[in-house]
Amino acid sequence: MNKQNVCVVFDLDDTLYLERDYVRSGFRAVGIWCAERLGLEGVQEQAQALFDQGRRGDIFDAALDRLGVGRDAKTVSTMVQIYRHHAPHINLLPDVVKCLARLQDRAYLGLLTDGNAVSQWAKIDALGLRGRFDTTVITGEWGIEFFRPHVRGYRYLESQLGMCRGRFVYVADNPIKDFSAPYTLGWNAIRVRRPASLHEHLKCSSGLACSEVSDLESVPDLVFEMYKTQF
Ligand SMILES: [Mg+2]
């Protein structure tokens, strides 16, 4: 079957898998390292409790505090590296498997995500997604100044997939940063608001995303509706 000249671009975290599963997996890896190398038990549990309470940005410092050991910049830096470089235990959600299977070979597929490039590639490999997209963009490979909402990643996809001639749809979860650039470029957008996702509580300004869905199962039909293309 020939591909239609339409490109569906997916975000990664909390769009194709649940980010809190990655966080749990990372804390587990750090906890094992602390137990084996430092003889320090309980790091995973403390970090997870802090995360569940909404703590962000200095979770490992705070976990060491709670365990009554002094903060040490080198130890915390190593913990961050362990977290970022670990091979994560995460899975594609069932609706994602169905959505990608329906779109594969019928539309061009893209992936656009921010974050540390090593971490994001480790997630892509753990999910079995390497090679599944026509174009993959991890803005962390260019520098944090190009993280969304910067337009560079979206423009790069347009340049790589010129045959789609502006027929792009972005599927993502975070109204704060994901949708303003595609809006200015004239893309369509679908916001996925998954139960238990980190940004589930955020509302999307009207007009930024064309549709809001709780999973990706209906995405192929929505894309069909947008472009009157038969999948
Ligand atoms: Mg996301």
PDB file of all heavy atoms in Angstrom, residues 130-153:
ATOM      1  N   ARG A 130      13.004   1.934  17.649  1.00  0.00           N
ATOM      2  CA  ARG A 130      14.067   2.400  16.757  1.00  0.00           C
ATOM      3  C   ARG A 130      13.784   1.892  15.344  1.00  0.00           C
ATOM      4  O   ARG A 130      13.541   0.707  15.144  1.00  0.00           O
ATOM      5  CB  ARG A 130      15.436   1.913  17.241  1.00  0.00           C
ATOM      6  CG  ARG A 130      16.579   2.661  16.572  1.00  0.00           C
ATOM      7  CD  ARG A 130      17.925   2.165  17.064  1.00  0.00           C
ATOM      8  NE  ARG A 130      18.329   2.732  18.334  1.00  0.00           N
ATOM      9  CZ  ARG A 130      19.316   3.622  18.495  1.00  0.00           C
ATOM     10  NH1 ARG A 130      19.962   4.053  17.445  1.00  0.00           N
ATOM     11  NH2 ARG A 130      19.631   4.055  19.697  1.00  0.00           N
ATOM     12  N   GLY A 131      13.775   2.790  14.397  1.00  0.00           N
ATOM     13  CA  GLY A 131      13.507   2.408  13.009  1.00  0.00           C
ATOM     14  C   GLY A 131      12.038   2.425  12.616  1.00  0.00           C
ATOM     15  O   GLY A 131      11.710   2.208  11.456  1.00  0.00           O
ATOM     16  N   ARG A 132      11.150   2.695  13.580  1.00  0.00           N
ATOM     17  CA  ARG A 132       9.711   2.686  13.258  1.00  0.00           C
ATOM     18  C   ARG A 132       9.238   4.007  12.659  1.00  0.00           C
ATOM     19  O   ARG A 132       8.148   4.069  12.091  1.00  0.00           O
ATOM     20  CB  ARG A 132       8.872   2.413  14.526  1.00  0.00           C
ATOM     21  CG  ARG A 132       8.961   1.008  15.089  1.00  0.00           C
ATOM     22  CD  ARG A 132       8.220  -0.043  14.256  1.00  0.00           C
ATOM     23  NE  ARG A 132       6.786   0.165  14.107  1.00  0.00           N
ATOM     24  CZ  ARG A 132       5.849  -0.234  14.965  1.00  0.00           C
ATOM     25  NH1 ARG A 132       6.203  -0.857  16.065  1.00  0.00           N
ATOM     26  NH2 ARG A 132       4.563  -0.029  14.720  1.00  0.00           N
ATOM     27  N   PHE A 133      10.028   5.066  12.795  1.00  0.00           N
ATOM     28  CA  PHE A 133       9.618   6.390  12.311  1.00  0.00           C
ATOM     29  C   PHE A 133      10.440   6.791  11.096  1.00  0.00           C
ATOM     30  O   PHE A 133      11.615   6.454  10.996  1.00  0.00           O
ATOM     31  CB  PHE A 133       9.777   7.433  13.428  1.00  0.00           C
ATOM     32  CG  PHE A 133       8.941   7.128  14.637  1.00  0.00           C
ATOM     33  CD1 PHE A 133       9.486   6.455  15.723  1.00  0.00           C
ATOM     34  CD2 PHE A 133       7.605   7.470  14.668  1.00  0.00           C
ATOM     35  CE1 PHE A 133       8.707   6.140  16.830  1.00  0.00           C
ATOM     36  CE2 PHE A 133       6.813   7.167  15.762  1.00  0.00           C
ATOM     37  CZ  PHE A 133       7.363   6.502  16.850  1.00  0.00           C
ATOM     38  N   ASP A 134       9.810   7.508  10.191  1.00  0.00           N
ATOM     39  CA  ASP A 134      10.540   7.994   9.022  1.00  0.00           C
ATOM     40  C   ASP A 134      11.582   9.025   9.442  1.00  0.00           C
ATOM     41  O   ASP A 134      12.662   9.083   8.866  1.00  0.00           O
ATOM     42  CB  ASP A 134       9.555   8.592   8.009  1.00  0.00           C
ATOM     43  CG  ASP A 134       8.617   7.529   7.464  1.00  0.00           C
ATOM     44  OD1 ASP A 134       9.062   6.750   6.607  1.00  0.00           O
ATOM     45  OD2 ASP A 134       7.462   7.454   7.932  1.00  0.00           O
ATOM     46  N   THR A 135      11.242   9.835  10.438  1.00  0.00           N
ATOM     47  CA  THR A 135      12.196  10.823  10.964  1.00  0.00           C
ATOM     48  C   THR A 135      12.034  10.900  12.482  1.00  0.00           C
ATOM     49  O   THR A 135      10.912  10.982  12.979  1.00  0.00           O
ATOM     50  CB  THR A 135      11.941  12.226  10.364  1.00  0.00           C
ATOM     51  OG1 THR A 135      12.051  12.145   8.937  1.00  0.00           O
ATOM     52  CG2 THR A 135      12.953  13.228  10.878  1.00  0.00           C
ATOM     53  N   THR A 136      13.151  10.848  13.180  1.00  0.00           N
ATOM     54  CA  THR A 136      13.151  10.983  14.638  1.00  0.00           C
ATOM     55  C   THR A 136      13.961  12.217  15.015  1.00  0.00           C
ATOM     56  O   THR A 136      15.095  12.371  14.552  1.00  0.00           O
ATOM     57  CB  THR A 136      13.768   9.733  15.303  1.00  0.00           C
ATOM     58  OG1 THR A 136      12.932   8.605  15.017  1.00  0.00           O
ATOM     59  CG2 THR A 136      13.886   9.895  16.817  1.00  0.00           C
ATOM     60  N   VAL A 137      13.375  13.084  15.837  1.00  0.00           N
ATOM     61  CA  VAL A 137      14.065  14.295  16.284  1.00  0.00           C
ATOM     62  C   VAL A 137      14.106  14.295  17.807  1.00  0.00           C
ATOM     63  O   VAL A 137      13.057  14.269  18.461  1.00  0.00           O
ATOM     64  CB  VAL A 137      13.341  15.575  15.807  1.00  0.00           C
ATOM     65  CG1 VAL A 137      14.074  16.811  16.322  1.00  0.00           C
ATOM     66  CG2 VAL A 137      13.233  15.612  14.286  1.00  0.00           C
ATOM     67  N   ILE A 138      15.319  14.319  18.371  1.00  0.00           N
ATOM     68  CA  ILE A 138      15.500  14.523  19.808  1.00  0.00           C
ATOM     69  C   ILE A 138      16.210  15.854  19.960  1.00  0.00           C
ATOM     70  O   ILE A 138      17.398  15.985  19.654  1.00  0.00           O
ATOM     71  CB  ILE A 138      16.312  13.372  20.432  1.00  0.00           C
ATOM     72  CG1 ILE A 138      15.572  12.049  20.237  1.00  0.00           C
ATOM     73  CG2 ILE A 138      16.554  13.646  21.925  1.00  0.00           C
ATOM     74  CD1 ILE A 138      16.343  10.832  20.694  1.00  0.00           C
ATOM     75  N   THR A 139      15.471  16.871  20.375  1.00  0.00           N
ATOM     76  CA  THR A 139      16.024  18.231  20.362  1.00  0.00           C
ATOM     77  C   THR A 139      17.227  18.366  21.292  1.00  0.00           C
ATOM     78  O   THR A 139      18.049  19.262  21.102  1.00  0.00           O
ATOM     79  CB  THR A 139      14.953  19.262  20.749  1.00  0.00           C
ATOM     80  OG1 THR A 139      14.455  18.919  22.049  1.00  0.00           O
ATOM     81  CG2 THR A 139      13.811  19.275  19.757  1.00  0.00           C
ATOM     82  N   GLY A 140      17.349  17.465  22.285  1.00  0.00           N
ATOM     83  CA  GLY A 140      18.506  17.482  23.182  1.00  0.00           C
ATOM     84  C   GLY A 140      19.816  17.296  22.436  1.00  0.00           C
ATOM     85  O   GLY A 140      20.880  17.664  22.943  1.00  0.00           O
ATOM     86  N   GLU A 141      19.769  16.728  21.237  1.00  0.00           N
ATOM     87  CA  GLU A 141      20.995  16.576  20.444  1.00  0.00           C
ATOM     88  C   GLU A 141      21.487  17.929  19.942  1.00  0.00           C
ATOM     89  O   GLU A 141      22.646  18.066  19.562  1.00  0.00           O
ATOM     90  CB  GLU A 141      20.746  15.612  19.280  1.00  0.00           C
ATOM     91  CG  GLU A 141      20.518  14.189  19.772  1.00  0.00           C
ATOM     92  CD  GLU A 141      20.328  13.169  18.661  1.00  0.00           C
ATOM     93  OE1 GLU A 141      20.041  13.580  17.527  1.00  0.00           O
ATOM     94  OE2 GLU A 141      20.449  11.970  18.953  1.00  0.00           O
ATOM     95  N   TRP A 142      20.612  18.919  19.911  1.00  0.00           N
ATOM     96  CA  TRP A 142      20.991  20.272  19.471  1.00  0.00           C
ATOM     97  C   TRP A 142      21.280  21.192  20.655  1.00  0.00           C
ATOM     98  O   TRP A 142      21.934  22.220  20.505  1.00  0.00           O
ATOM     99  CB  TRP A 142      19.857  20.907  18.639  1.00  0.00           C
ATOM    100  CG  TRP A 142      19.537  20.193  17.370  1.00  0.00           C
ATOM    101  CD1 TRP A 142      20.404  19.514  16.563  1.00  0.00           C
ATOM    102  CD2 TRP A 142      18.244  20.103  16.740  1.00  0.00           C
ATOM    103  NE1 TRP A 142      19.742  19.006  15.469  1.00  0.00           N
ATOM    104  CE2 TRP A 142      18.415  19.360  15.543  1.00  0.00           C
ATOM    105  CE3 TRP A 142      16.976  20.585  17.058  1.00  0.00           C
ATOM    106  CZ2 TRP A 142      17.357  19.077  14.679  1.00  0.00           C
ATOM    107  CZ3 TRP A 142      15.924  20.306  16.195  1.00  0.00           C
ATOM    108  CH2 TRP A 142      16.115  19.557  15.021  1.00  0.00           C
ATOM    109  N   GLY A 143      20.714  20.895  21.817  1.00  0.00           N
ATOM    110  CA  GLY A 143      20.876  21.764  22.993  1.00  0.00           C
ATOM    111  C   GLY A 143      19.518  22.136  23.572  1.00  0.00           C
ATOM    112  O   GLY A 143      18.522  22.185  22.850  1.00  0.00           O
ATOM    113  N   ILE A 144      19.514  22.429  24.881  1.00  0.00           N
ATOM    114  CA  ILE A 144      18.229  22.654  25.553  1.00  0.00           C
ATOM    115  C   ILE A 144      17.517  23.899  25.027  1.00  0.00           C
ATOM    116  O   ILE A 144      16.305  24.032  25.169  1.00  0.00           O
ATOM    117  CB  ILE A 144      18.367  22.755  27.093  1.00  0.00           C
ATOM    118  CG1 ILE A 144      19.312  23.883  27.481  1.00  0.00           C
ATOM    119  CG2 ILE A 144      18.853  21.457  27.685  1.00  0.00           C
ATOM    120  CD1 ILE A 144      19.312  24.164  28.984  1.00  0.00           C
ATOM    121  N   GLU A 145      18.271  24.808  24.392  1.00  0.00           N
ATOM    122  CA  GLU A 145      17.614  26.008  23.854  1.00  0.00           C
ATOM    123  C   GLU A 145      16.667  25.668  22.711  1.00  0.00           C
ATOM    124  O   GLU A 145      15.848  26.503  22.308  1.00  0.00           O
ATOM    125  CB  GLU A 145      18.647  27.052  23.417  1.00  0.00           C
ATOM    126  CG  GLU A 145      19.551  26.640  22.267  1.00  0.00           C
ATOM    127  CD  GLU A 145      20.832  25.940  22.708  1.00  0.00           C
ATOM    128  OE1 GLU A 145      20.785  25.175  23.696  1.00  0.00           O
ATOM    129  OE2 GLU A 145      21.871  26.149  22.047  1.00  0.00           O
ATOM    130  N   PHE A 146      16.777  24.437  22.188  1.00  0.00           N
ATOM    131  CA  PHE A 146      15.890  24.034  21.094  1.00  0.00           C
ATOM    132  C   PHE A 146      14.755  23.117  21.558  1.00  0.00           C
ATOM    133  O   PHE A 146      14.016  22.565  20.741  1.00  0.00           O
ATOM    134  CB  PHE A 146      16.700  23.370  19.972  1.00  0.00           C
ATOM    135  CG  PHE A 146      17.688  24.309  19.350  1.00  0.00           C
ATOM    136  CD1 PHE A 146      19.048  24.141  19.545  1.00  0.00           C
ATOM    137  CD2 PHE A 146      17.248  25.394  18.600  1.00  0.00           C
ATOM    138  CE1 PHE A 146      19.961  25.035  18.988  1.00  0.00           C
ATOM    139  CE2 PHE A 146      18.156  26.297  18.036  1.00  0.00           C
ATOM    140  CZ  PHE A 146      19.514  26.105  18.238  1.00  0.00           C
ATOM    141  N   PHE A 147      14.650  22.935  22.886  1.00  0.00           N
ATOM    142  CA  PHE A 147      13.503  22.187  23.408  1.00  0.00           C
ATOM    143  C   PHE A 147      12.214  22.898  22.984  1.00  0.00           C
ATOM    144  O   PHE A 147      12.202  24.127  22.812  1.00  0.00           O
ATOM    145  CB  PHE A 147      13.537  22.146  24.940  1.00  0.00           C
ATOM    146  CG  PHE A 147      14.504  21.125  25.529  1.00  0.00           C
ATOM    147  CD1 PHE A 147      15.422  20.456  24.734  1.00  0.00           C
ATOM    148  CD2 PHE A 147      14.464  20.844  26.891  1.00  0.00           C
ATOM    149  CE1 PHE A 147      16.299  19.524  25.288  1.00  0.00           C
ATOM    150  CE2 PHE A 147      15.341  19.910  27.446  1.00  0.00           C
ATOM    151  CZ  PHE A 147      16.257  19.256  26.654  1.00  0.00           C
ATOM    152  N   ARG A 148      11.130  22.138  22.816  1.00  0.00           N
ATOM    153  CA  ARG A 148       9.848  22.774  22.556  1.00  0.00           C
ATOM    154  C   ARG A 148       9.524  23.783  23.679  1.00  0.00           C
ATOM    155  O   ARG A 148       9.925  23.533  24.809  1.00  0.00           O
ATOM    156  CB  ARG A 148       8.747  21.702  22.477  1.00  0.00           C
ATOM    157  CG  ARG A 148       8.932  20.742  21.320  1.00  0.00           C
ATOM    158  CD  ARG A 148       8.151  19.470  21.542  1.00  0.00           C
ATOM    159  NE  ARG A 148       8.620  18.776  22.730  1.00  0.00           N
ATOM    160  CZ  ARG A 148       8.023  17.722  23.278  1.00  0.00           C
ATOM    161  NH1 ARG A 148       6.939  17.216  22.747  1.00  0.00           N
ATOM    162  NH2 ARG A 148       8.509  17.150  24.353  1.00  0.00           N
ATOM    163  N   PRO A 149       8.929  24.893  23.388  1.00  0.00           N
ATOM    164  CA  PRO A 149       8.181  25.191  22.160  1.00  0.00           C
ATOM    165  C   PRO A 149       9.016  25.713  20.993  1.00  0.00           C
ATOM    166  O   PRO A 149       8.430  26.207  20.032  1.00  0.00           O
ATOM    167  CB  PRO A 149       7.197  26.270  22.627  1.00  0.00           C
ATOM    168  CG  PRO A 149       7.934  26.992  23.699  1.00  0.00           C
ATOM    169  CD  PRO A 149       8.750  25.937  24.417  1.00  0.00           C
ATOM    170  N   HIS A 150      10.354  25.627  21.043  1.00  0.00           N
ATOM    171  CA  HIS A 150      11.145  26.113  19.907  1.00  0.00           C
ATOM    172  C   HIS A 150      10.682  25.424  18.613  1.00  0.00           C
ATOM    173  O   HIS A 150      10.340  24.245  18.601  1.00  0.00           O
ATOM    174  CB  HIS A 150      12.632  25.832  20.142  1.00  0.00           C
ATOM    175  CG  HIS A 150      13.514  26.659  19.256  1.00  0.00           C
ATOM    176  ND1 HIS A 150      13.695  26.369  17.918  1.00  0.00           N
ATOM    177  CD2 HIS A 150      14.241  27.780  19.510  1.00  0.00           C
ATOM    178  CE1 HIS A 150      14.515  27.275  17.389  1.00  0.00           C
ATOM    179  NE2 HIS A 150      14.858  28.134  18.333  1.00  0.00           N
ATOM    180  N   VAL A 151      10.716  26.164  17.543  1.00  0.00           N
ATOM    181  CA  VAL A 151      10.134  25.702  16.288  1.00  0.00           C
ATOM    182  C   VAL A 151      11.083  24.799  15.483  1.00  0.00           C
ATOM    183  O   VAL A 151      10.661  24.116  14.543  1.00  0.00           O
ATOM    184  CB  VAL A 151       9.699  26.936  15.455  1.00  0.00           C
ATOM    185  CG1 VAL A 151      10.896  27.596  14.797  1.00  0.00           C
ATOM    186  CG2 VAL A 151       8.605  26.611  14.472  1.00  0.00           C
ATOM    187  N   ARG A 152      12.366  24.746  15.877  1.00  0.00           N
ATOM    188  CA  ARG A 152      13.360  24.061  15.029  1.00  0.00           C
ATOM    189  C   ARG A 152      13.021  22.589  14.752  1.00  0.00           C
ATOM    190  O   ARG A 152      13.154  22.124  13.615  1.00  0.00           O
ATOM    191  CB  ARG A 152      14.751  24.159  15.682  1.00  0.00           C
ATOM    192  CG  ARG A 152      15.820  23.453  14.855  1.00  0.00           C
ATOM    193  CD  ARG A 152      17.214  23.703  15.403  1.00  0.00           C
ATOM    194  NE  ARG A 152      18.181  22.844  14.735  1.00  0.00           N
ATOM    195  CZ  ARG A 152      19.494  22.881  14.962  1.00  0.00           C
ATOM    196  NH1 ARG A 152      19.995  23.742  15.808  1.00  0.00           N
ATOM    197  NH2 ARG A 152      20.308  22.050  14.338  1.00  0.00           N
ATOM    198  N   GLY A 153      12.597  21.858  15.765  1.00  0.00           N
ATOM    199  CA  GLY A 153      12.298  20.440  15.562  1.00  0.00           C
ATOM    200  C   GLY A 153      11.160  20.218  14.571  1.00  0.00           C
ATOM    201  O   GLY A 153      11.214  19.326  13.726  1.00  0.00           O
TER     202      GLY A 153
END
